[in-house]
Amino acid sequence: MDNNIAENPSPTRAKWRKVAYGGMQPRFDDNHTDDSFLEGMVMNANVVKRDMLKVMQDSISISQYLCIVVLVGLVWTYTLRSTLDETSLLYLDVSLLGSGFLVLLLTKEMLSLNLLLHYLLNVFLFTTGLYVLAPVYQTLTRSISSDSIWAVTVSLLILHLFLHDYSGSTVRAPGALKNPTLTSFISLNASVVASVFIASRLPSRLHVFAIMLFSLQVFLFAPLFDGHDVGFCLYTTPATFCSVVGFIGFCDCGVSLMAYTDARIQV
Amino acid sequence: MGDSKRQRILMVSDFFYPNFGGVENHIYLLSQCLIKLGHKVVVMTHAYGNRSGVRYMTGGLKVYYVPWKPFLMQNTLPTFYGTLPIIRTILIREQISLVHGHQAFSTLCHEALMHARTMGYKVVFTDHSLYGFADVGSIHMNKDCHQKRLVYRKGADLLVEVIPEVCRMYPNVRFIVGGDGPKRVRLEEMREKHSLQDRVEMLGAVPHARVRSVLISGHIFLNSSLTEAFCIAILEAASCGLLTVSTRVGGVPEVLPDDMIVLAEPDPTDMVQAIKKAISILPMIDPQDMHNRMKKLYDWHDVAKRTEIVYDRALKCSNQSLLERLSRYLACGAWAGKLFCLVMIIDFLLWRLLQLWKPAEDIEVVPDIVLSHDED
């Protein structure tokens, strides 16, 4: 069967063409290629160039948030073990509130008295509401075993970390929560529910109020500070990290000291 | 070239009849042409539903439907060594001289090639294009547009911009769109938005047997894929005598001669220009002439002859002992090389075990049955 096109039956060697039709080209191997074969090749078409500084900033904000959540978990643990009593918790809450306001004063450009009063009113209402609802939280999980509570809390915290919106430190127009996505809502709810579960295990109403205030301060208000000042982040992250390590170390020392003295007393 | 010795070829792939698609057609037609050239061809694939065991197809093509269940997209479960006994049996029974595997996505193919190499047979591998699965094959053409599968890969989004523009410029142009897929909704929307219901006809999925009758009702074939390795659709359209307008992507420029196709960049304005040009040269196109040319440009017997050349080359390769092969595998990478060597050593040991357990003498050899060619 005739299957070759005789394009130009010239005596000289015909030029090799990069075509699929026409069968084998005469006097050329079937797998012959010449220099023009890879002309259309495009390499690295979709490579994204990354800026080192920006990548560092983003990773810092993520690790900072991880440290904060670990600190919260630590406070919970030591409250549950009665290492931290309710008065120190209340001091902690007040100092957090105070430092929050300080940061606000330092970073907001125009701060009128009206705005300040508005914020103070909100905080007051929030705190009062929590205090009123504290007895409800206390009896919420009385019928559930402790093991389930710990398991659910840990999984909720992991879910919170997983779905949290870490893009807060990217450069955007300043404002409150910007374009919140479904996952950020889910993560926020997870963290709040985890705090409620932990609070419900505590003995007294004041305990419950203090721990709820602390947890909600961190989870609700911390994202608001995310975009404010990257330099601020750069300083606070090492501070947060060191405080985590220091806190763990201090409390472990305290616990082991107590255990030691306990042992001594028993002997 | 010339009269090479009669070979016994085993074609291995997960994709074969009763599945329809590019790979399946290729294997079947190539096997038929090789049989006509005088070789013996046996096909091995996995069982399709009830179709299991040995079947004979046209021309004495023997097909082994090995009773393995497909687990994902028509592929058998990769068990590395599970197929070794059956492949060894088939290779010895049919006295195979060469194994030809098809399609990179076929696990059965890769396993067969691996075992064939271990047992010392020569192998050839053909990788078909990335999207080698069964096509819906819906092609529509009519004085205008043609659309295959409405997925993003096929540039349905391009069509959404091109069709209204062309309809506006040419009042007597109509489009027939065939195919189904995720982007069909966008085309329907476009149709509603510009009130083109009487000018754009959506046929839905077209079975492969009806493709030709739809094609010949059109004059221009429009292919707007954004990625394409070869595009059989263009060939089918050209065989039906349609002028093709296509995006210049992938291997499309190599498929047809320049006078049968108008190429455009994957950009709406460029495509509209190309359609304009195509409509202007349409009166000079003779469909019958195009069909006759296509018959000469692409020919399965030619493919078979070229494949024969490859087989001859493969058979001339030197026999390599296990140690020589292992040294080549080691060069594949720091960790991968050692892993590959391990896999091949275990394969070799299993083969030796099989030789002791089921000696080759005990396997019945199939006698050669040559169908008389006069009966074709």
Side-chain angles (χ1 to χ4, degrees):
Chain A
M1 194 149 194
D2 195 4
N3 50 19
N4 274 343
I5 291 186
E7 283 279 297
N8 41 350
S10 57
T12 57
R13 191 178 173 109
K15 195 172 173 313
W16 180 82
R17 292 174 305 149
K18 191 173 118 177
V19 288
Y21 53 84
M24 272 186 78
Q25 303 187 34
R27 287 187 289 267
F28 285 107
D29 262 345
D30 215 354
N31 58 353
H32 177 266
T33 58
D34 66 359
D35 299 327
S36 70
F37 190 63
L38 289 177
E39 265 174 349
M41 183 166 76
V42 175
M43 300 215 294
N44 291 331
N46 296 323
V47 166
V48 177
K49 278 205 154 319
R50 303 236 178 251
D51 180 28
M52 180 59 143
L53 197 61
K54 182 153 186 326
V55 168
M56 279 176 63
Q57 286 169 3
D58 289 340
S59 58
I60 281 176
S61 77
I62 292 178
S63 44
Q64 177 178 0
Y65 192 73
L66 284 178
C67 292
I68 290 175
V69 172
V70 167
L71 274 176
V72 170
L74 274 177
V75 169
W76 286 349
T77 318
Y78 290 123
T79 313
L80 286 166
R81 282 200 210 158
S82 312
T83 316
L84 273 180
D85 61 344
E86 60 263 35
T87 29
S88 27
L89 261 181
L90 282 172
Y91 285 145
L92 186 60
D93 289 337
V94 169
S95 56
L96 267 181
L97 263 178
S99 51
F101 269 112
L102 201 65
V103 169
L104 199 66
L105 280 171
L106 288 175
T107 57
K108 215 85 176 142
E109 291 87 24
M110 27 158 277
L111 195 66
S112 64
L113 198 61
N114 242 354
L115 201 60
L116 196 61
L117 278 180
H118 178 75
Y119 280 140
L120 277 173
L121 186 67
N122 277 343
V123 167
F124 175 69
L125 284 175
F126 180 67
T127 318
T128 320
L130 264 185
Y131 190 72
V132 164
L133 286 174
V136 177
Y137 294 143
Q138 198 177 6
T139 58
L140 209 54
T141 60
R142 200 160 273 176
S143 56
I144 306 180
S145 77
S146 292
D147 291 337
S148 328
I149 298 285
W150 311 145
V152 171
T153 308
V154 168
S155 17
L156 281 174
L157 267 188
I158 292 178
L159 185 71
H160 166 70
L161 282 173
F162 201 65
L163 294 178
H164 185 253
D165 184 12
Y166 291 105
S167 57
S169 71
T170 55
V171 177
R172 275 194 292 218
L177 286 175
K178 313 122 191 156
N179 293 334
T181 60
L182 177 66
T183 47
S184 62
F185 282 141
I186 296 178
S187 74
L188 187 63
N189 277 318
S191 59
V192 169
V193 172
S195 334
V196 168
F197 274 173
I198 290 293
S200 64
R201 287 282 124 173
L202 293 169
S204 87
R205 178 190 187 160
L206 207 54
H207 268 115
V208 172
F209 166 66
I211 205 77
M212 278 303 294
L213 189 59
F214 169 71
S215 316
L216 288 184
Q217 270 174 352
V218 173
F219 287 127
L220 291 178
F221 299 150
L224 297 178
F225 292 103
D226 255 343
H228 273 186
D229 190 10
V230 177
F232 184 64
C233 281
L234 280 172
Y235 288 127
T236 52
T237 304
T240 326
F241 187 64
C242 294
S243 58
V244 168
V245 171
F247 199 39
I248 297 177
F250 168 70
C251 291
D252 274 343
C253 288
V255 165
S256 51
L257 205 61
M258 278 175 21
Y260 178 65
T261 46
D262 253 345
R264 288 295 298 261
I265 289 170
Q266 275 178 12
V267 164
Chain B
M1 319 264 246
D3 265 291
S4 45
K5 210 163 62 88
R6 180 172 185 264
Q7 306 294 345
R8 294 166 221 271
I9 300 152
L10 175 69
M11 303 274 191
V12 188
S13 180
D14 269 308
F15 308 105
F16 197 62
Y17 183 85
N19 228 21
F20 276 106
V23 184
E24 296 84 337
N25 277 344
H26 173 102
I27 299 176
Y28 177 72
L29 290 166
L30 180 62
S31 309
Q32 291 297 328
C33 291
L34 284 171
I35 290 176
K36 289 220 172 68
L37 282 173
H39 302 289
K40 169 178 164 179
V41 181
V42 177
V43 178
M44 177 176 157
T45 180
H46 69 76
Y48 283 87
N50 274 344
R51 196 184 173 90
S52 164
V54 178
R55 296 276 196 278
Y56 286 88
M57 295 179 81
T58 318
L61 178 65
K62 187 171 183 180
V63 186
Y64 279 88
Y65 287 96
V66 173
W68 292 80
K69 261 192 144 27
F71 87 112
L72 182 68
M73 295 205 285
Q74 292 304 332
N75 276 318
T76 43
L77 184 71
T79 55
F80 277 87
Y81 307 113
T83 42
L84 179 58
I86 185 76
I87 288 175
R88 176 172 173 264
T89 309
I90 292 177
L91 287 172
I92 294 177
R93 275 183 98 199
E94 307 285 343
Q95 299 172 290
I96 300 289
S97 57
L98 184 105
V99 180
H100 187 169
H102 293 266
Q103 186 58 309
F105 280 164
S106 165
T107 49
L108 188 63
C109 155
H110 289 298
E111 286 192 24
L113 294 185
M114 180 173 88
H115 298 317
R117 284 303 283 145
T118 308
M119 295 190 260
Y121 293 88
K122 301 287 190 291
V123 304
V124 173
F125 173 62
T126 299
D127 187 8
H128 299 247
S129 71
L130 283 181
Y131 301 89
F133 303 120
D135 278 338
V136 176
S138 345
I139 298 177
H140 289 275
M141 283 292 299
N142 168 20
K143 200 149 191 184
D144 319 301
C145 267
H146 147 83
Q147 168 120 9
K148 219 161 170 239
R149 278 219 323 226
L150 307 181
V151 292
Y152 184 68
R153 179 176 83 83
K154 292 293 184 179
D157 304 310
L158 261 182
L159 279 183
V160 164
E161 318 221 358
V162 164
I163 293 182
E165 187 60 29
V166 173
C167 284
R168 196 182 54 82
M169 286 187 355
Y170 292 94
N172 62 340
V173 152
R174 286 195 312 126
F175 285 79
I176 297 183
V177 179
D180 215 343
K183 292 276 179 166
R184 186 178 171 172
V185 174
R186 286 210 65 190
L187 282 168
E188 306 261 11
E189 271 176 14
M190 177 264 308
R191 210 169 145 221
E192 297 293 325
K193 187 168 147 197
H194 297 271
S195 311
L196 292 170
Q197 285 89 343
D198 53 340
R199 302 191 52 192
V200 176
E201 190 183 336
M202 310 264 312
L203 283 179
V206 175
H208 202 249
R210 276 192 48 213
V211 162
R212 183 197 155 269
S213 53
V214 177
L215 272 177
I216 57 179
S217 67
H219 303 89
I220 297 180
F221 185 87
L222 179 61
N223 178 45
S224 57
S225 326
L226 297 177
T227 65
E228 194 75 78
F230 184 76
C231 200
I232 292 267
I234 292 179
L235 279 192
E236 292 175 346
S239 310
C240 294
L242 284 91
L243 179 63
T244 307
V245 175
S246 174
T247 43
R248 189 194 308 265
V249 288
V252 169
E254 300 170 27
V255 172
L256 287 177
D258 295 326
D259 53 344
M260 289 189 187
I261 186 169
V262 179
L263 290 169
E265 301 305 318
D267 174 68
T269 26
D270 219 24
M271 291 214 65
V272 171
Q273 290 300 325
I275 294 180
K276 259 173 79 173
K277 181 172 166 204
I279 292 180
S280 67
I281 66 177
L282 196 55
M284 297 174 271
I285 300 286
D286 176 19
Q288 188 61 42
D289 179 57
M290 204 187 263
H291 172 79
N292 292 334
R293 276 180 73 189
M294 283 307 292
K295 271 175 36 174
K296 296 208 192 90
L297 284 179
Y298 285 95
D299 182 21
W300 275 111
H301 296 286
D302 177 54
V303 173
K305 286 221 180 75
R306 287 154 87 175
T307 312
E308 235 188 355
I309 295 176
V310 176
Y311 289 163
D312 288 335
R313 284 257 186 96
L315 286 166
K316 287 205 184 77
C317 285
S318 58
N319 283 327
Q320 284 193 319
S321 70
L322 177 68
L323 287 178
E324 285 161 7
R325 285 172 52 225
L326 283 182
S327 62
R328 288 173 69 185
Y329 280 118
L330 262 181
C332 287
W335 292 103
K338 301 185 175 62
L339 189 64
F340 293 169
C341 282
L342 186 66
V343 169
M344 294 315 280
I345 289 173
I346 297 180
D347 203 28
F348 183 80
L349 291 172
L350 282 174
W351 175 46
R352 287 293 188 204
L353 189 68
L354 263 181
Q355 279 184 319
L356 289 172
W357 183 24
K358 286 209 170 112
E361 296 81 44
D362 290 348
I363 299 179
E364 270 187 73
V365 165
V366 168
D368 271 343
I369 303 173
V370 177
L371 288 184
S372 165
H373 282 280
D374 299 333
E375 289 159 10
D376 280 343

